Amino acid sequence: MADHKLPRKEVAPRPGQTELRVGRLTKAHGLKGALKLELFTDEPERRFVPGAVFTLQVPTTSKWHGKTIELIELRWYNGHPVGFFAGVDDRTEAETLVKAILWVSQDAKQLPEEDDAWYDHQLVGLSARRDGVEVGTVARVDHFPAQDLLVVRTADGEVLVPFVKAIVPEVDIAAGTVTLTPPAGLFEELPDDDDSEAAEPEAAEPDAAGSASELEKPED
């Protein structure tokens, strides 16, 4: 997957632009203002270059609310990305940015460079089809550490579809469709096992003498 599109109205993109979520600052690193990053992009070498400027998503009570931040350098420590930012010179200042989400502007028509990758805004609104029949519409994309999920809005509510090749074999942006091959039960309820079992015969009502009547055997 590529960068993630802005699902909120706090940052208004310019005409022809969209806002993409590319990272989150997770914790202070060291004493010189560095911050560890959780990346939400497949292109860190493109997004996180010296001089890159990010819009910050932080609580309204934060001193950083409504501000941007400029990257000085991105380094890797034991496989983890760590960012150094202008004006963040010590650990105390870095702590004020923990949990901040980083956003960048992107041409809304520009596609990711790699194959089988899409921006969220390209997927939202696509017709979700199974066996050629529409089952719903992609409402949004949820991103989790283990995998991404397509949230498909159906007549009965939202269905979470793992965004993996086995279940989503084809995305056709030009046709406005996404093809699904979901496992049984994802879009419909499966019958309970009990429903397939024969019902137990009910006990006969007691007769006038107080004993249960015997079942009459069929004649030969």
Side-chain angles (χ1 to χ4, degrees):
M1 290 302 297
D3 313 318
H4 306 161
K5 182 181 180 291
L6 179 67
R8 58 197 173 88
K9 298 180 180 179
E10 297 172 12
V11 178
R14 299 187 300 275
Q17 300 282 310
T18 187
E19 294 293 322
L20 303 175
R21 183 181 67 162
V22 295
R24 183 170 70 95
L25 304 176
T26 60
K27 63 185 298 185
H29 177 83
L31 303 176
K32 297 183 178 180
L35 287 131
K36 286 188 175 181
L37 281 153
E38 178 183 2
L39 298 179
F40 300 143
T41 175
D42 295 329
E43 305 171 307
E45 70 286 347
R46 174 189 172 196
R47 299 297 186 189
F48 290 87
V49 296
V53 176
F54 305 95
T55 299
L56 291 166
Q57 179 187 344
V58 293
T60 55
T61 54
S62 170
K63 61 182 288 186
W64 294 97
H65 185 257
K67 297 182 179 181
T68 60
I69 194 168
E70 179 182 344
L71 180 70
I72 297 175
E73 184 181 5
L74 181 71
R75 300 179 186 174
W76 294 82
Y77 293 92
N78 297 322
H80 296 288
V82 175
F84 295 80
F85 298 90
V88 185
D89 302 319
D90 56 42
R91 188 179 184 89
T92 300
E93 190 70 1
E95 293 283 359
T96 66
L97 280 163
V98 170
K99 296 184 179 180
I101 297 177
L102 307 178
W103 299 83
V104 296
S105 294
Q106 166 76 40
D107 185 337
K109 296 181 180 179
Q110 186 173 348
L111 298 175
E113 295 181 357
E114 67 271 25
D115 295 332
D116 292 333
W118 302 271
Y119 296 124
D120 287 13
H121 69 275
Q122 295 174 301
L123 299 170
V124 173
L126 295 184
S127 171
R129 295 179 172 269
R130 178 178 60 178
D131 297 329
V133 178
E134 183 175 271
V135 294
T137 303
V138 178
R140 66 179 187 278
V141 185
D142 286 346
H143 303 278
F144 297 98
Q147 63 182 185
D148 296 329
L149 298 174
L150 292 183
V151 181
V152 177
R153 183 176 293 117
T154 73
D156 299 320
E158 293 184 342
V159 177
L160 305 182
V161 179
F163 199 8
V164 295
K165 192 74 172 178
I167 299 176
V168 188
E170 182 181 6
V171 174
D172 191 334
I173 300 297
T177 62
V178 55
T179 299
L180 307 179
T181 54
L186 189 59
F187 279 88
E188 64 281 307
E189 292 186 7
L190 295 177
D192 294 333
D193 292 339
D194 293 342
D195 293 344
S196 60
E197 296 178 0
E200 293 291 334
E202 296 183 2
E205 293 293 334
D207 59 16
S211 62
S213 301
E214 294 182 357
L215 293 176
E216 188 174 324
K217 293 182 181 180
E219 294 180 0
D220 294 335

